[in-house]
Amino acid sequence: MHCPFCKNEDTRVVDSRVADEGQAIRRRRACSECGRRFTTVETAVLSVVKRTGVTEPFSREKVMRGVRRACQGRAVDDDKLQHLAQQVEEAVRASGSAEVPANEVGLAILGPLRDLDEVAYLRFASVYRSFDSVDDFQKEIDDLRSGKSES
């Protein structure tokens, strides 16, 4: 790790702690050249494999953008969206795989979104599951009313 102040390559770890609810490690480092200290945060990279085969890093922001679109005009604040994105990331990481298919991310969104706002859930599900007709909406509404969950 290079020192951000003098660019020296020789730095040592002074302290390590678990951060971000166990999802990262925070390290205090000291530069052997200039003596200054700095902090680094290490996280395991979680990759999402798109249908096209392209791999990209998992992004809570991207989850929030998609859900925010579904929540447009609804009384859902950013704190709840951030919490939902955290739940999705935890669920995806719990699979134990470093690479997850994009459809698993979508499935991980459906459950928490259903609990957050049913209208936003229907909007998201209609796009995610490619509803073709009013019957698809009706079936999903019936499932919501009966308390069933296909997600």
Side-chain angles (χ1 to χ4, degrees), residues 7-62:
K7 308 298 181 220
N8 181 36
E9 291 183 26
D10 188 25
T11 61
R12 64 184 170 81
V13 175
V14 177
D15 182 42
S16 292
R17 296 184 186 197
V18 173
D20 195 18
E21 298 178 10
Q23 300 301 315
I25 297 175
R26 178 187 164 276
R27 297 194 194 279
R28 282 296 284 163
R29 294 178 177 271
C31 176
S32 59
E33 184 68 27
C34 69
R36 293 177 79 178
R37 290 184 176 207
F38 59 98
T39 301
T40 59
V41 178
E42 299 175 16
T43 58
V45 176
L46 177 62
S47 298
V48 177
V49 181
K50 310 286 253 171
R51 290 180 194 144
T52 61
V54 175
T55 302
E56 64 181 44
F58 176 86
S59 166
R60 281 188 189 181
E61 283 302 315
K62 194 167 182 178

Side-chain angles (χ1 to χ4, degrees), residues 11 24 26 53 71 80 87 90 114:
T11 61
R26 178 187 164 276
C71 292
K80 289 181 180 175
Q87 286 178 300
E90 288 170 0
R114 180 182 177 143

Side-chain angles (χ1 to χ4, degrees), residues 1 3 17-18 29 45 54 57 68 81 83 108 112 119 136-137 147:
M1 172 61 64
C3 172
R17 296 184 186 197
V18 173
R29 294 178 177 271
V45 176
V54 175
R68 188 175 282 124
L81 290 179
H83 182 69
V119 172
D136 293 335
F137 279 96

